[in-house]
Amino acid sequence: MDTTAPASASATDTIVEHLTRAIVEHRLLPGTKLAEQKLADHFGVSRTLVRQALFQLAQNRLIRQEPARGAFVATPSVEEARQVFAVRRMLELATVREFIASSTPARIKLLRKHMDAERKAMLEPDVGRRTELLGDFHVQIASLMGNAVLAQLLGDLISRCALITLMYQTTTAAEHSHDEHEGIFNAIVAGDEAAAVQLMQEHLDNVEAGLMFDRSVPTNDLSMALSGSN
């Protein structure tokens, strides 16, 4: 029985997962060079599998590949940042409406469980965990509706937003974002569609308004960034 293909796919997925997490958790900064050999050594795989993983990440717009120079963590432009937030508004306002319309006690219970984890993370020093949970709040709403396509789309957008906020946000604004999530959640529990939609709109507006598009971004070291991903 030939298990080479599944094993290769699994290794590629692992690399994609770890690099995506490092980007979302702000351990890999925009512009960081992703050296194939360093990645191959780190994950104990061939450069061919690394190239496959980098290709997937490029398809998701998380990295850019330059001829003769290699792969780099993407550096979203101001225009791209504005477009990402515009798409998030369109998707997420509709998602909140649909979630409330099809809400069940079981879905509310699971969303409450996420909020409990988010609330707990706000009191702990693990910035990566906090960042992950804050982004996952938005994906959870779609996921709990059973819409895998929507959840994947939002997940991709949230990952791109992680790069955008890292490049242009003046502070992490974690506490403010969590407070706004609490407000959205409470409106969902109350079944108040108008309030939930308005609060989601204000939340996304506030995140975008907090971006400073003239901010410079420092570089990062690949080995250090991946040291917490295993």
PDB file of all heavy atoms in Angstrom, residues 6-45:
ATOM      1  N   PRO A   6      -0.520  10.557   0.941  1.00  0.00           N
ATOM      2  CA  PRO A   6      -1.159  11.084   2.148  1.00  0.00           C
ATOM      3  C   PRO A   6      -0.157  11.663   3.126  1.00  0.00           C
ATOM      4  O   PRO A   6      -0.415  12.695   3.758  1.00  0.00           O
ATOM      5  CB  PRO A   6      -1.869   9.852   2.721  1.00  0.00           C
ATOM      6  CG  PRO A   6      -2.090   8.959   1.554  1.00  0.00           C
ATOM      7  CD  PRO A   6      -0.898   9.165   0.675  1.00  0.00           C
ATOM      8  N   ALA A   7       0.997  10.993   3.286  1.00  0.00           N
ATOM      9  CA  ALA A   7       2.011  11.492   4.216  1.00  0.00           C
ATOM     10  C   ALA A   7       2.530  12.849   3.770  1.00  0.00           C
ATOM     11  O   ALA A   7       2.732  13.756   4.578  1.00  0.00           O
ATOM     12  CB  ALA A   7       3.164  10.488   4.319  1.00  0.00           C
ATOM     13  N   SER A   8       2.750  12.999   2.468  1.00  0.00           N
ATOM     14  CA  SER A   8       3.237  14.273   1.930  1.00  0.00           C
ATOM     15  C   SER A   8       2.210  15.380   2.149  1.00  0.00           C
ATOM     16  O   SER A   8       2.548  16.498   2.535  1.00  0.00           O
ATOM     17  CB  SER A   8       3.545  14.132   0.441  1.00  0.00           C
ATOM     18  OG  SER A   8       4.578  13.192   0.235  1.00  0.00           O
ATOM     19  N   ALA A   9       0.929  15.030   1.890  1.00  0.00           N
ATOM     20  CA  ALA A   9      -0.136  16.016   2.073  1.00  0.00           C
ATOM     21  C   ALA A   9      -0.218  16.447   3.525  1.00  0.00           C
ATOM     22  O   ALA A   9      -0.403  17.627   3.834  1.00  0.00           O
ATOM     23  CB  ALA A   9      -1.466  15.433   1.607  1.00  0.00           C
ATOM     24  N   SER A  10      -0.070  15.479   4.436  1.00  0.00           N
ATOM     25  CA  SER A  10      -0.137  15.787   5.865  1.00  0.00           C
ATOM     26  C   SER A  10       1.006  16.705   6.278  1.00  0.00           C
ATOM     27  O   SER A  10       0.811  17.658   7.042  1.00  0.00           O
ATOM     28  CB  SER A  10      -0.077  14.486   6.668  1.00  0.00           C
ATOM     29  OG  SER A  10      -0.041  14.759   8.047  1.00  0.00           O
ATOM     30  N   ALA A  11       2.205  16.429   5.772  1.00  0.00           N
ATOM     31  CA  ALA A  11       3.361  17.266   6.105  1.00  0.00           C
ATOM     32  C   ALA A  11       3.175  18.679   5.570  1.00  0.00           C
ATOM     33  O   ALA A  11       3.483  19.666   6.244  1.00  0.00           O
ATOM     34  CB  ALA A  11       4.633  16.639   5.532  1.00  0.00           C
ATOM     35  N   THR A  12       2.654  18.785   4.356  1.00  0.00           N
ATOM     36  CA  THR A  12       2.405  20.100   3.761  1.00  0.00           C
ATOM     37  C   THR A  12       1.382  20.872   4.583  1.00  0.00           C
ATOM     38  O   THR A  12       1.562  22.066   4.868  1.00  0.00           O
ATOM     39  CB  THR A  12       1.910  19.950   2.309  1.00  0.00           C
ATOM     40  OG1 THR A  12       2.898  19.279   1.542  1.00  0.00           O
ATOM     41  CG2 THR A  12       1.649  21.320   1.688  1.00  0.00           C
ATOM     42  N   ASP A  13       0.307  20.194   4.972  1.00  0.00           N
ATOM     43  CA  ASP A  13      -0.736  20.835   5.780  1.00  0.00           C
ATOM     44  C   ASP A  13      -0.174  21.317   7.113  1.00  0.00           C
ATOM     45  O   ASP A  13      -0.559  22.382   7.603  1.00  0.00           O
ATOM     46  CB  ASP A  13      -1.893  19.866   6.039  1.00  0.00           C
ATOM     47  CG  ASP A  13      -2.697  19.570   4.777  1.00  0.00           C
ATOM     48  OD1 ASP A  13      -2.567  20.343   3.806  1.00  0.00           O
ATOM     49  OD2 ASP A  13      -3.444  18.573   4.767  1.00  0.00           O
ATOM     50  N   THR A  14       0.724  20.527   7.689  1.00  0.00           N
ATOM     51  CA  THR A  14       1.337  20.910   8.969  1.00  0.00           C
ATOM     52  C   THR A  14       2.134  22.199   8.826  1.00  0.00           C
ATOM     53  O   THR A  14       2.051  23.099   9.668  1.00  0.00           O
ATOM     54  CB  THR A  14       2.258  19.786   9.492  1.00  0.00           C
ATOM     55  OG1 THR A  14       1.465  18.626   9.760  1.00  0.00           O
ATOM     56  CG2 THR A  14       2.978  20.207  10.765  1.00  0.00           C
ATOM     57  N   ILE A  15       2.911  22.294   7.747  1.00  0.00           N
ATOM     58  CA  ILE A  15       3.699  23.509   7.510  1.00  0.00           C
ATOM     59  C   ILE A  15       2.783  24.701   7.311  1.00  0.00           C
ATOM     60  O   ILE A  15       2.999  25.783   7.888  1.00  0.00           O
ATOM     61  CB  ILE A  15       4.615  23.326   6.284  1.00  0.00           C
ATOM     62  CG1 ILE A  15       5.599  22.176   6.511  1.00  0.00           C
ATOM     63  CG2 ILE A  15       5.383  24.616   5.983  1.00  0.00           C
ATOM     64  CD1 ILE A  15       6.344  21.745   5.268  1.00  0.00           C
ATOM     65  N   VAL A  16       1.734  24.525   6.506  1.00  0.00           N
ATOM     66  CA  VAL A  16       0.778  25.606   6.264  1.00  0.00           C
ATOM     67  C   VAL A  16       0.146  26.049   7.579  1.00  0.00           C
ATOM     68  O   VAL A  16       0.027  27.251   7.866  1.00  0.00           O
ATOM     69  CB  VAL A  16      -0.323  25.159   5.271  1.00  0.00           C
ATOM     70  CG1 VAL A  16      -1.449  26.190   5.206  1.00  0.00           C
ATOM     71  CG2 VAL A  16       0.273  24.946   3.890  1.00  0.00           C
ATOM     72  N   GLU A  17      -0.247  25.078   8.407  1.00  0.00           N
ATOM     73  CA  GLU A  17      -0.898  25.394   9.679  1.00  0.00           C
ATOM     74  C   GLU A  17       0.016  26.186  10.601  1.00  0.00           C
ATOM     75  O   GLU A  17      -0.374  27.195  11.189  1.00  0.00           O
ATOM     76  CB  GLU A  17      -1.340  24.100  10.370  1.00  0.00           C
ATOM     77  CG  GLU A  17      -1.990  24.322  11.730  1.00  0.00           C
ATOM     78  CD  GLU A  17      -2.281  23.025  12.456  1.00  0.00           C
ATOM     79  OE1 GLU A  17      -2.185  21.945  11.826  1.00  0.00           O
ATOM     80  OE2 GLU A  17      -2.589  23.091  13.662  1.00  0.00           O
ATOM     81  N   HIS A  18       1.266  25.730  10.722  1.00  0.00           N
ATOM     82  CA  HIS A  18       2.200  26.402  11.638  1.00  0.00           C
ATOM     83  C   HIS A  18       2.560  27.807  11.149  1.00  0.00           C
ATOM     84  O   HIS A  18       2.654  28.746  11.957  1.00  0.00           O
ATOM     85  CB  HIS A  18       3.463  25.566  11.807  1.00  0.00           C
ATOM     86  CG  HIS A  18       3.293  24.388  12.728  1.00  0.00           C
ATOM     87  ND1 HIS A  18       2.802  24.494  14.006  1.00  0.00           N
ATOM     88  CD2 HIS A  18       3.542  23.060  12.541  1.00  0.00           C
ATOM     89  CE1 HIS A  18       2.759  23.304  14.579  1.00  0.00           C
ATOM     90  NE2 HIS A  18       3.192  22.417  13.699  1.00  0.00           N
ATOM     91  N   LEU A  19       2.775  27.952   9.853  1.00  0.00           N
ATOM     92  CA  LEU A  19       3.109  29.277   9.324  1.00  0.00           C
ATOM     93  C   LEU A  19       1.915  30.223   9.439  1.00  0.00           C
ATOM     94  O   LEU A  19       2.083  31.396   9.791  1.00  0.00           O
ATOM     95  CB  LEU A  19       3.565  29.165   7.870  1.00  0.00           C
ATOM     96  CG  LEU A  19       4.953  28.558   7.639  1.00  0.00           C
ATOM     97  CD1 LEU A  19       5.230  28.409   6.147  1.00  0.00           C
ATOM     98  CD2 LEU A  19       6.034  29.417   8.288  1.00  0.00           C
ATOM     99  N   THR A  20       0.727  29.717   9.150  1.00  0.00           N
ATOM    100  CA  THR A  20      -0.470  30.555   9.284  1.00  0.00           C
ATOM    101  C   THR A  20      -0.642  31.012  10.722  1.00  0.00           C
ATOM    102  O   THR A  20      -0.921  32.185  10.989  1.00  0.00           O
ATOM    103  CB  THR A  20      -1.727  29.782   8.829  1.00  0.00           C
ATOM    104  OG1 THR A  20      -1.592  29.425   7.455  1.00  0.00           O
ATOM    105  CG2 THR A  20      -2.974  30.641   8.992  1.00  0.00           C
ATOM    106  N   ARG A  21      -0.465  30.085  11.668  1.00  0.00           N
ATOM    107  CA  ARG A  21      -0.603  30.441  13.081  1.00  0.00           C
ATOM    108  C   ARG A  21       0.447  31.468  13.500  1.00  0.00           C
ATOM    109  O   ARG A  21       0.149  32.408  14.249  1.00  0.00           O
ATOM    110  CB  ARG A  21      -0.495  29.180  13.950  1.00  0.00           C
ATOM    111  CG  ARG A  21      -0.787  29.432  15.426  1.00  0.00           C
ATOM    112  CD  ARG A  21      -0.753  28.124  16.208  1.00  0.00           C
ATOM    113  NE  ARG A  21      -1.807  27.225  15.771  1.00  0.00           N
ATOM    114  CZ  ARG A  21      -3.063  27.287  16.209  1.00  0.00           C
ATOM    115  NH1 ARG A  21      -3.404  28.220  17.086  1.00  0.00           N
ATOM    116  NH2 ARG A  21      -3.961  26.435  15.774  1.00  0.00           N
ATOM    117  N   ALA A  22       1.666  31.294  13.007  1.00  0.00           N
ATOM    118  CA  ALA A  22       2.723  32.250  13.349  1.00  0.00           C
ATOM    119  C   ALA A  22       2.405  33.642  12.816  1.00  0.00           C
ATOM    120  O   ALA A  22       2.713  34.658  13.458  1.00  0.00           O
ATOM    121  CB  ALA A  22       4.062  31.767  12.784  1.00  0.00           C
ATOM    122  N   ILE A  23       1.754  33.702  11.647  1.00  0.00           N
ATOM    123  CA  ILE A  23       1.356  34.994  11.072  1.00  0.00           C
ATOM    124  C   ILE A  23       0.203  35.585  11.860  1.00  0.00           C
ATOM    125  O   ILE A  23       0.224  36.761  12.254  1.00  0.00           O
ATOM    126  CB  ILE A  23       0.981  34.823   9.586  1.00  0.00           C
ATOM    127  CG1 ILE A  23       2.231  34.521   8.751  1.00  0.00           C
ATOM    128  CG2 ILE A  23       0.292  36.081   9.048  1.00  0.00           C
ATOM    129  CD1 ILE A  23       1.938  34.083   7.320  1.00  0.00           C
ATOM    130  N   VAL A  24      -0.831  34.773  12.119  1.00  0.00           N
ATOM    131  CA  VAL A  24      -2.016  35.252  12.833  1.00  0.00           C
ATOM    132  C   VAL A  24      -1.665  35.711  14.245  1.00  0.00           C
ATOM    133  O   VAL A  24      -2.209  36.692  14.746  1.00  0.00           O
ATOM    134  CB  VAL A  24      -3.096  34.148  12.881  1.00  0.00           C
ATOM    135  CG1 VAL A  24      -4.228  34.522  13.828  1.00  0.00           C
ATOM    136  CG2 VAL A  24      -3.650  33.901  11.483  1.00  0.00           C
ATOM    137  N   GLU A  25      -0.739  35.001  14.885  1.00  0.00           N
ATOM    138  CA  GLU A  25      -0.361  35.344  16.254  1.00  0.00           C
ATOM    139  C   GLU A  25       0.729  36.418  16.306  1.00  0.00           C
ATOM    140  O   GLU A  25       1.278  36.705  17.360  1.00  0.00           O
ATOM    141  CB  GLU A  25       0.101  34.083  16.996  1.00  0.00           C
ATOM    142  CG  GLU A  25      -1.038  33.078  17.196  1.00  0.00           C
ATOM    143  CD  GLU A  25      -0.595  31.818  17.913  1.00  0.00           C
ATOM    144  OE1 GLU A  25       0.604  31.705  18.242  1.00  0.00           O
ATOM    145  OE2 GLU A  25      -1.446  30.955  18.152  1.00  0.00           O
ATOM    146  N   HIS A  26       1.039  36.991  15.149  1.00  0.00           N
ATOM    147  CA  HIS A  26       1.977  38.119  15.063  1.00  0.00           C
ATOM    148  C   HIS A  26       3.401  37.745  15.465  1.00  0.00           C
ATOM    149  O   HIS A  26       4.175  38.588  15.918  1.00  0.00           O
ATOM    150  CB  HIS A  26       1.485  39.295  15.915  1.00  0.00           C
ATOM    151  CG  HIS A  26       0.213  39.894  15.408  1.00  0.00           C
ATOM    152  ND1 HIS A  26      -0.506  40.819  16.137  1.00  0.00           N
ATOM    153  CD2 HIS A  26      -0.477  39.691  14.272  1.00  0.00           C
ATOM    154  CE1 HIS A  26      -1.588  41.168  15.446  1.00  0.00           C
ATOM    155  NE2 HIS A  26      -1.579  40.483  14.313  1.00  0.00           N
ATOM    156  N   ARG A  27       3.763  36.453  15.276  1.00  0.00           N
ATOM    157  CA  ARG A  27       5.150  36.059  15.490  1.00  0.00           C
ATOM    158  C   ARG A  27       5.972  36.189  14.209  1.00  0.00           C
ATOM    159  O   ARG A  27       7.187  36.305  14.254  1.00  0.00           O
ATOM    160  CB  ARG A  27       5.207  34.619  16.025  1.00  0.00           C
ATOM    161  CG  ARG A  27       4.766  34.512  17.479  1.00  0.00           C
ATOM    162  CD  ARG A  27       4.886  33.096  18.024  1.00  0.00           C
ATOM    163  NE  ARG A  27       3.778  32.248  17.596  1.00  0.00           N
ATOM    164  CZ  ARG A  27       3.884  31.238  16.743  1.00  0.00           C
ATOM    165  NH1 ARG A  27       5.045  30.953  16.196  1.00  0.00           N
ATOM    166  NH2 ARG A  27       2.844  30.494  16.431  1.00  0.00           N
ATOM    167  N   LEU A  28       5.302  36.117  13.070  1.00  0.00           N
ATOM    168  CA  LEU A  28       5.954  36.347  11.775  1.00  0.00           C
ATOM    169  C   LEU A  28       5.465  37.683  11.230  1.00  0.00           C
ATOM    170  O   LEU A  28       4.265  37.863  10.999  1.00  0.00           O
ATOM    171  CB  LEU A  28       5.598  35.230  10.782  1.00  0.00           C
ATOM    172  CG  LEU A  28       6.527  34.025  10.715  1.00  0.00           C
ATOM    173  CD1 LEU A  28       6.005  33.013   9.702  1.00  0.00           C
ATOM    174  CD2 LEU A  28       7.944  34.447  10.357  1.00  0.00           C
ATOM    175  N   LEU A  29       6.356  38.594  11.041  1.00  0.00           N
ATOM    176  CA  LEU A  29       5.984  39.936  10.627  1.00  0.00           C
ATOM    177  C   LEU A  29       5.953  40.082   9.106  1.00  0.00           C
ATOM    178  O   LEU A  29       6.626  39.343   8.387  1.00  0.00           O
ATOM    179  CB  LEU A  29       6.977  40.950  11.200  1.00  0.00           C
ATOM    180  CG  LEU A  29       7.148  40.964  12.719  1.00  0.00           C
ATOM    181  CD1 LEU A  29       8.068  42.104  13.116  1.00  0.00           C
ATOM    182  CD2 LEU A  29       5.822  41.076  13.430  1.00  0.00           C
ATOM    183  N   PRO A  30       5.174  41.034   8.612  1.00  0.00           N
ATOM    184  CA  PRO A  30       5.154  41.311   7.166  1.00  0.00           C
ATOM    185  C   PRO A  30       6.564  41.582   6.653  1.00  0.00           C
ATOM    186  O   PRO A  30       7.348  42.283   7.290  1.00  0.00           O
ATOM    187  CB  PRO A  30       4.281  42.565   7.068  1.00  0.00           C
ATOM    188  CG  PRO A  30       3.389  42.488   8.257  1.00  0.00           C
ATOM    189  CD  PRO A  30       4.234  41.901   9.350  1.00  0.00           C
ATOM    190  N   GLY A  31       6.871  41.002   5.500  1.00  0.00           N
ATOM    191  CA  GLY A  31       8.176  41.215   4.892  1.00  0.00           C
ATOM    192  C   GLY A  31       9.227  40.193   5.295  1.00  0.00           C
ATOM    193  O   GLY A  31      10.320  40.164   4.719  1.00  0.00           O
ATOM    194  N   THR A  32       8.920  39.322   6.294  1.00  0.00           N
ATOM    195  CA  THR A  32       9.888  38.316   6.718  1.00  0.00           C
ATOM    196  C   THR A  32      10.172  37.336   5.585  1.00  0.00           C
ATOM    197  O   THR A  32       9.247  36.802   4.975  1.00  0.00           O
ATOM    198  CB  THR A  32       9.363  37.522   7.936  1.00  0.00           C
ATOM    199  OG1 THR A  32       9.072  38.429   8.994  1.00  0.00           O
ATOM    200  CG2 THR A  32      10.388  36.503   8.405  1.00  0.00           C
ATOM    201  N   LYS A  33      11.443  37.086   5.298  1.00  0.00           N
ATOM    202  CA  LYS A  33      11.813  36.126   4.249  1.00  0.00           C
ATOM    203  C   LYS A  33      11.619  34.711   4.772  1.00  0.00           C
ATOM    204  O   LYS A  33      12.055  34.378   5.875  1.00  0.00           O
ATOM    205  CB  LYS A  33      13.269  36.327   3.814  1.00  0.00           C
ATOM    206  CG  LYS A  33      13.679  35.382   2.673  1.00  0.00           C
ATOM    207  CD  LYS A  33      15.077  35.696   2.175  1.00  0.00           C
ATOM    208  CE  LYS A  33      15.529  34.705   1.104  1.00  0.00           C
ATOM    209  NZ  LYS A  33      14.637  34.670  -0.074  1.00  0.00           N
ATOM    210  N   LEU A  34      10.945  33.883   3.976  1.00  0.00           N
ATOM    211  CA  LEU A  34      10.690  32.490   4.340  1.00  0.00           C
ATOM    212  C   LEU A  34      11.659  31.594   3.549  1.00  0.00           C
ATOM    213  O   LEU A  34      11.332  31.116   2.467  1.00  0.00           O
ATOM    214  CB  LEU A  34       9.234  32.133   4.039  1.00  0.00           C
ATOM    215  CG  LEU A  34       8.193  33.010   4.754  1.00  0.00           C
ATOM    216  CD1 LEU A  34       6.797  32.681   4.271  1.00  0.00           C
ATOM    217  CD2 LEU A  34       8.301  32.845   6.266  1.00  0.00           C
ATOM    218  N   ALA A  35      12.837  31.412   4.090  1.00  0.00           N
ATOM    219  CA  ALA A  35      13.883  30.646   3.409  1.00  0.00           C
ATOM    220  C   ALA A  35      13.496  29.168   3.360  1.00  0.00           C
ATOM    221  O   ALA A  35      13.226  28.555   4.400  1.00  0.00           O
ATOM    222  CB  ALA A  35      15.209  30.826   4.129  1.00  0.00           C
ATOM    223  N   GLU A  36      13.483  28.590   2.166  1.00  0.00           N
ATOM    224  CA  GLU A  36      13.055  27.203   1.993  1.00  0.00           C
ATOM    225  C   GLU A  36      13.889  26.235   2.826  1.00  0.00           C
ATOM    226  O   GLU A  36      13.352  25.332   3.472  1.00  0.00           O
ATOM    227  CB  GLU A  36      13.111  26.812   0.517  1.00  0.00           C
ATOM    228  CG  GLU A  36      12.031  27.449  -0.333  1.00  0.00           C
ATOM    229  CD  GLU A  36      12.092  26.973  -1.778  1.00  0.00           C
ATOM    230  OE1 GLU A  36      12.923  26.071  -2.080  1.00  0.00           O
ATOM    231  OE2 GLU A  36      11.319  27.483  -2.608  1.00  0.00           O
ATOM    232  N   GLN A  37      15.208  26.406   2.797  1.00  0.00           N
ATOM    233  CA  GLN A  37      16.060  25.453   3.512  1.00  0.00           C
ATOM    234  C   GLN A  37      15.858  25.546   5.017  1.00  0.00           C
ATOM    235  O   GLN A  37      15.844  24.528   5.720  1.00  0.00           O
ATOM    236  CB  GLN A  37      17.531  25.686   3.160  1.00  0.00           C
ATOM    237  CG  GLN A  37      18.456  24.562   3.656  1.00  0.00           C
ATOM    238  CD  GLN A  37      18.054  23.206   3.091  1.00  0.00           C
ATOM    239  OE1 GLN A  37      17.996  23.020   1.887  1.00  0.00           O
ATOM    240  NE2 GLN A  37      17.751  22.256   3.966  1.00  0.00           N
ATOM    241  N   LYS A  38      15.688  26.758   5.529  1.00  0.00           N
ATOM    242  CA  LYS A  38      15.436  26.930   6.963  1.00  0.00           C
ATOM    243  C   LYS A  38      14.148  26.233   7.365  1.00  0.00           C
ATOM    244  O   LYS A  38      14.059  25.572   8.405  1.00  0.00           O
ATOM    245  CB  LYS A  38      15.349  28.420   7.322  1.00  0.00           C
ATOM    246  CG  LYS A  38      16.660  29.074   7.674  1.00  0.00           C
ATOM    247  CD  LYS A  38      16.418  30.437   8.296  1.00  0.00           C
ATOM    248  CE  LYS A  38      17.716  31.064   8.753  1.00  0.00           C
ATOM    249  NZ  LYS A  38      17.502  32.364   9.442  1.00  0.00           N
ATOM    250  N   LEU A  39      13.109  26.398   6.545  1.00  0.00           N
ATOM    251  CA  LEU A  39      11.832  25.761   6.833  1.00  0.00           C
ATOM    252  C   LEU A  39      11.947  24.241   6.736  1.00  0.00           C
ATOM    253  O   LEU A  39      11.394  23.513   7.567  1.00  0.00           O
ATOM    254  CB  LEU A  39      10.757  26.270   5.869  1.00  0.00           C
ATOM    255  CG  LEU A  39      10.320  27.724   6.072  1.00  0.00           C
ATOM    256  CD1 LEU A  39       9.426  28.175   4.914  1.00  0.00           C
ATOM    257  CD2 LEU A  39       9.581  27.890   7.401  1.00  0.00           C
ATOM    258  N   ALA A  40      12.666  23.759   5.720  1.00  0.00           N
ATOM    259  CA  ALA A  40      12.848  22.317   5.558  1.00  0.00           C
ATOM    260  C   ALA A  40      13.567  21.728   6.770  1.00  0.00           C
ATOM    261  O   ALA A  40      13.184  20.665   7.283  1.00  0.00           O
ATOM    262  CB  ALA A  40      13.637  22.040   4.277  1.00  0.00           C
ATOM    263  N   ASP A  41      14.604  22.413   7.237  1.00  0.00           N
ATOM    264  CA  ASP A  41      15.341  21.947   8.416  1.00  0.00           C
ATOM    265  C   ASP A  41      14.460  21.982   9.663  1.00  0.00           C
ATOM    266  O   ASP A  41      14.494  21.064  10.494  1.00  0.00           O
ATOM    267  CB  ASP A  41      16.582  22.814   8.643  1.00  0.00           C
ATOM    268  CG  ASP A  41      17.625  22.648   7.542  1.00  0.00           C
ATOM    269  OD1 ASP A  41      17.548  21.636   6.808  1.00  0.00           O
ATOM    270  OD2 ASP A  41      18.492  23.535   7.408  1.00  0.00           O
ATOM    271  N   HIS A  42      13.685  23.054   9.797  1.00  0.00           N
ATOM    272  CA  HIS A  42      12.843  23.221  10.990  1.00  0.00           C
ATOM    273  C   HIS A  42      11.799  22.114  11.086  1.00  0.00           C
ATOM    274  O   HIS A  42      11.563  21.552  12.160  1.00  0.00           O
ATOM    275  CB  HIS A  42      12.162  24.590  10.965  1.00  0.00           C
ATOM    276  CG  HIS A  42      11.263  24.833  12.146  1.00  0.00           C
ATOM    277  ND1 HIS A  42      11.725  25.297  13.358  1.00  0.00           N
ATOM    278  CD2 HIS A  42       9.921  24.658  12.306  1.00  0.00           C
ATOM    279  CE1 HIS A  42      10.719  25.398  14.207  1.00  0.00           C
ATOM    280  NE2 HIS A  42       9.612  25.020  13.588  1.00  0.00           N
ATOM    281  N   PHE A  43      11.149  21.802   9.957  1.00  0.00           N
ATOM    282  CA  PHE A  43      10.071  20.810   9.964  1.00  0.00           C
ATOM    283  C   PHE A  43      10.549  19.387   9.641  1.00  0.00           C
ATOM    284  O   PHE A  43       9.766  18.441   9.719  1.00  0.00           O
ATOM    285  CB  PHE A  43       8.982  21.220   8.968  1.00  0.00           C
ATOM    286  CG  PHE A  43       8.210  22.442   9.394  1.00  0.00           C
ATOM    287  CD1 PHE A  43       8.432  23.670   8.779  1.00  0.00           C
ATOM    288  CD2 PHE A  43       7.274  22.373  10.411  1.00  0.00           C
ATOM    289  CE1 PHE A  43       7.730  24.804   9.167  1.00  0.00           C
ATOM    290  CE2 PHE A  43       6.562  23.492  10.811  1.00  0.00           C
ATOM    291  CZ  PHE A  43       6.793  24.719  10.186  1.00  0.00           C
ATOM    292  N   GLY A  44      11.824  19.255   9.266  1.00  0.00           N
ATOM    293  CA  GLY A  44      12.361  17.940   8.962  1.00  0.00           C
ATOM    294  C   GLY A  44      11.764  17.322   7.716  1.00  0.00           C
ATOM    295  O   GLY A  44      11.474  16.118   7.675  1.00  0.00           O
ATOM    296  N   VAL A  45      11.569  18.149   6.692  1.00  0.00           N
ATOM    297  CA  VAL A  45      10.976  17.672   5.441  1.00  0.00           C
ATOM    298  C   VAL A  45      11.830  18.144   4.266  1.00  0.00           C
ATOM    299  O   VAL A  45      12.800  18.891   4.435  1.00  0.00           O
ATOM    300  CB  VAL A  45       9.526  18.201   5.271  1.00  0.00           C
ATOM    301  CG1 VAL A  45       8.636  17.706   6.398  1.00  0.00           C
ATOM    302  CG2 VAL A  45       9.508  19.731   5.187  1.00  0.00           C
TER     303      VAL A  45
END
